Amino acid sequence: MNRTVRAAVRAAAVAGLTLGLSSCSEAVDQVDKAVDETYEVTYEVTGKNVDSIGFHGGGGTAMKPKIESVSGPELPWRKTVELRGIMPAAVMPVAADPEGAAVTCTITYKGEVLEEKSAESLVTAGGCVAESPVTG
């Protein structure tokens, strides 16, 4: 390849890389903004015979949220928490009762139900997990 062709190829590669980096920079800016944004959700658990409730309360990181818990909660149980960025909202009621347990969990954001689940059985575990609304 002669010197002129090599210079043209190099110039095209640099131009492509520059355009790619500026697009990448915009994406990084959007992620940074989403990670710093906070949002509030309300968790609600109803039913009977619930032994404990675990939930993301806002501590930790998006990939390793700190799970807070309440033992022997009075039902209906409701808690509003502030979460950050891409951290998912999650509430996990646990019930184990020979008479049978019944549990419904709900996650609400700005009056809109993001997730709702119900279960009935001898042992009930699981819960509700919702994607962060700031990723939208």
Side-chain angles (χ1 to χ4, degrees):
M1 204 184 294
N2 70 33
R3 192 177 296 170
T4 306
V5 173
R6 275 188 271 200
V9 169
R10 223 179 283 133
V14 168
L17 183 59
T18 302
L19 288 174
L21 288 177
S22 69
S23 295
C24 184
S25 176
E26 290 171 19
V28 168
D29 290 344
Q30 289 174 346
V31 169
D32 283 346
K33 181 181 176 198
V35 167
D36 286 337
E37 190 174 342
T38 60
Y39 67 100
E40 279 190 354
V41 294
T42 299
Y43 302 132
E44 185 170 6
V45 175
T46 58
K48 64 178 186 173
N49 304 330
V50 173
D51 297 312
S52 65
I53 300 170
F55 60 95
H56 293 175
T61 65
M63 299 308 286
K64 290 186 178 183
K66 179 181 178 196
I67 298 174
E68 297 181 28
S69 64
V70 175
S71 294
E74 186 176 321
L75 300 177
W77 177 85
R78 178 179 277 210
K79 177 131 180 118
T80 299
V81 298
E82 184 177 89
L83 302 175
R84 184 174 164 266
I86 61 173
M87 179 181 287
V91 60
M92 298 137 302
V94 176
D97 192 302
E99 304 288 318
V103 177
T104 298
C105 62
T106 307
I107 300 172
T108 307
Y109 170 71
K110 293 186 176 181
E112 179 184 334
V113 174
L114 297 178
E115 187 69 38
E116 183 173 52
K117 297 270 170 106
S118 294
E120 291 185 28
S121 68
L122 174 65
V123 177
T124 302
C128 298
V129 178
E131 183 178 315
S132 168
V134 302
T135 62

